[in-house]
Amino acid sequence: MTDSEPGGGPILFYFDFSSPFAYLAANKINDVAKLYNREVDWRPTLLGAVFKLNGNKPLLEQPLKGEYARRDLARCARLMGLPMEMPESFPFLSVAAARAIWWLKGKDEALAQTVALALFNAAFQEAKAIDSAEAVLEIAAENGVDPEELKAALNDPEVKEKLKTEVDASIAAGVCGAPYFIVDGEPFWGADRIDHLEHWLSTGGW
Amino acid sequence: MTDSEPGGGPILFYFDFSSPFAYLAANKINDVAKLYNREVDWRPTLLGAVFKLNGNKPLLEQPLKGEYARRDLARCARLMGLPMEMPESFPFLSVAAARAIWWLKGKDEALAQTVALALFNAAFQEAKAIDSAEAVLEIAAENGVDPEELKAALNDPEVKEKLKTEVDASIAAGVCGAPYFIVDGEPFWGADRIDHLEHWLSTGGW
């Protein structure tokens, strides 16, 4: 599930749990993929590394752009028919959530996606804090994950190292924001590029 | 032409001549407006002031994002059926071009738009440098503007002051990038928001 070869490989879906635009995409991308018989490979990353690299603040915190982006975000959500609430504490740490998903992916990709979507929806539909290990454990347990096993995994140096490796790999792959997709080697950045991505799948590129 | 009242006011189109995404929008927005019986008010500004405010570099110069944006730009242009060449010197100074257009707007909005589009197309279809007063004069003259009058205008302190005032006004209006549109008080940022803008015009908002 980690390669994206021309002609049928999975759609690589890179995201940071603290990205509200990634939340919108997370509720949409599997439906689009299904239309073209594609799988989606959900790959959490941490955008802090990208912000360090290009010296930017997160979009919603930038002067002028932040105010516009909040309005655009709410408008995009309404257009997509998705509820949208911002958690009280924002931006938030997404390390525990990302570690949990990488550990789950090693066991069961479908379950990893179910839990990832539940985490996104808790944050951006119910405005819940998902930054702590406790919150992640609770939401994972509600979706059938053994909380004791996950608790141990979150403290496992190998799991911590796995996330670091994947964050580095995402930067090496060019991931400059979230959501970020790669389909058959072609990158698409933004919830507002899902339409281009779909057009790419339906036409084979242009 | 400076107000955008609900129900029929002009679409305010803010841009910097050095923005390639604004070039794409410039070739599209009047056609969209015409479908809804709207005028477009072309308002050149200078994004340098915005970059100072939020501490960002221009998109195409940012690590990771720049590389992606060049690819996205070329892909968007192909999808829109527009040629796309980058001028050798990029980003470039757009002060002379912006002053010329504000002066022309005071005389003839239609001619101002014709010259503005010719400047955009010279830069991004023919890869011409349009950063100098000489280049601006030449392109304006090709479109029927008296070069002596324009030459005098470019050195007129009142014209210089007019551009400063308009740059400040654009920031006060929330313009955080280019192209940026305001229709009936609703802001849309990006060539990739023209579809939302059009949907807004056709539905009255959502």
Side-chain angles (χ1 to χ4, degrees):
Chain A
M1 288 283 287
T2 54
D3 293 308
S4 182
E5 292 109 16
I11 295 167
L12 307 183
F13 169 32
Y14 295 89
F15 58 91
D16 186 313
F17 278 106
S18 77
S19 162
F21 285 103
Y23 148 73
L24 297 180
N27 278 280
K28 180 93 176 166
I29 189 61
N30 280 28
D31 290 342
V32 170
K34 205 171 288 174
L35 295 174
Y36 301 93
N37 295 310
R38 299 287 186 122
E39 300 289 321
V40 184
D41 183 1
W42 290 43
R43 307 179 73 83
T45 187
L46 303 175
L47 287 182
V50 175
F51 297 140
K52 265 187 206 162
L53 201 68
N54 60 28
N56 285 348
K57 286 184 197 172
L59 179 63
L60 297 188
E61 291 178 67
Q62 293 182 20
L64 286 184
K65 287 192 180 177
E67 196 183 334
Y68 171 81
R70 281 174 194 272
R71 187 163 183 160
D72 181 56
L73 177 62
R75 196 171 58 196
C76 287
R78 292 196 303 273
L79 193 59
M80 293 168 82
L82 288 167
M84 176 81 231
E85 296 287 335
M86 291 297 285
E88 257 183 59
S89 174
F90 183 86
F92 55 81
L93 285 178
S94 52
V95 180
R99 282 182 188 151
I101 298 308
W102 278 108
W103 174 73
L104 273 172
K105 281 171 71 72
K107 301 161 70 81
D108 182 339
E109 173 73 23
L111 182 59
Q113 294 191 15
T114 300
V115 173
L117 189 59
L119 286 163
F120 266 128
N121 292 347
F124 295 105
Q125 292 185 356
E126 299 168 49
K128 277 190 186 166
I130 63 160
D131 55 339
S132 67
E134 291 68 32
V136 172
L137 285 172
E138 190 184 318
I139 291 164
E142 286 167 9
N143 287 278
V145 177
D146 183 311
E148 290 308 313
E149 270 189 64
L150 178 54
K151 193 174 180 179
L154 291 179
N155 291 309
D156 183 341
E158 271 189 41
V159 173
K160 293 179 181 181
E161 195 55 37
K162 173 66 175 166
L163 176 58
K164 274 188 202 168
T165 304
E166 293 296 342
V167 170
D168 289 347
S170 75
I171 287 177
V175 175
C176 58
Y180 194 97
F181 306 96
I182 302 178
V183 52
D184 302 341
E186 189 71 16
F188 298 89
W189 171 33
D192 58 3
R193 281 294 178 278
I194 292 180
D195 56 346
H196 285 198
L197 183 157
E198 183 166 357
H199 192 55
W200 196 268
L201 285 169
S202 72
T203 61
W206 64 87
Chain B
M1 288 283 288
T2 55
D3 292 307
S4 182
E5 290 108 18
I11 295 167
L12 307 182
F13 169 32
Y14 295 90
F15 57 91
D16 186 313
F17 278 105
S18 77
S19 163
F21 285 103
Y23 149 72
L24 297 180
N27 278 280
K28 180 93 176 168
I29 189 62
N30 280 28
D31 290 342
V32 170
K34 205 171 290 175
L35 294 175
Y36 301 93
N37 295 311
R38 299 287 187 123
E39 301 289 320
V40 183
D41 183 1
W42 289 44
R43 308 180 73 83
T45 187
L46 303 175
L47 287 181
V50 174
F51 297 140
K52 266 187 206 163
L53 201 69
N54 61 28
N56 286 348
K57 286 184 198 170
L59 179 64
L60 296 187
E61 291 179 66
Q62 292 182 21
L64 286 183
K65 286 191 181 179
E67 196 183 334
Y68 171 80
R70 281 175 194 272
R71 186 164 184 159
D72 181 57
L73 177 63
R75 195 171 59 197
C76 287
R78 293 196 303 274
L79 193 59
M80 292 169 83
L82 288 167
M84 176 83 233
E85 296 289 334
M86 291 297 283
E88 258 183 58
S89 173
F90 182 87
F92 54 82
L93 284 178
S94 52
V95 179
R99 282 183 188 151
I101 298 308
W102 277 108
W103 174 73
L104 273 172
K105 280 171 71 72
K107 301 162 71 77
D108 183 338
E109 172 74 23
L111 182 59
Q113 293 190 17
T114 299
V115 174
L117 189 59
L119 286 163
F120 265 129
N121 291 348
F124 295 105
Q125 291 185 358
E126 299 168 50
K128 277 192 187 166
I130 62 160
D131 54 339
S132 68
E134 291 68 32
V136 172
L137 285 172
E138 189 185 321
I139 292 164
E142 287 166 8
N143 287 277
V145 177
D146 183 311
E148 292 308 314
E149 271 189 62
L150 178 54
K151 194 174 179 180
L154 290 180
N155 290 309
D156 184 340
E158 269 189 41
V159 173
K160 293 180 180 181
E161 193 55 37
K162 173 66 175 167
L163 177 58
K164 275 189 201 167
T165 304
E166 292 297 342
V167 170
D168 289 348
S170 75
I171 287 177
V175 175
C176 59
Y180 194 97
F181 306 96
I182 302 179
V183 51
D184 302 341
E186 188 71 15
F188 298 89
W189 171 32
D192 58 3
R193 282 293 178 279
I194 292 181
D195 56 347
H196 285 197
L197 184 158
E198 183 167 358
H199 192 55
W200 196 269
L201 284 169
S202 73
T203 61
W206 63 87

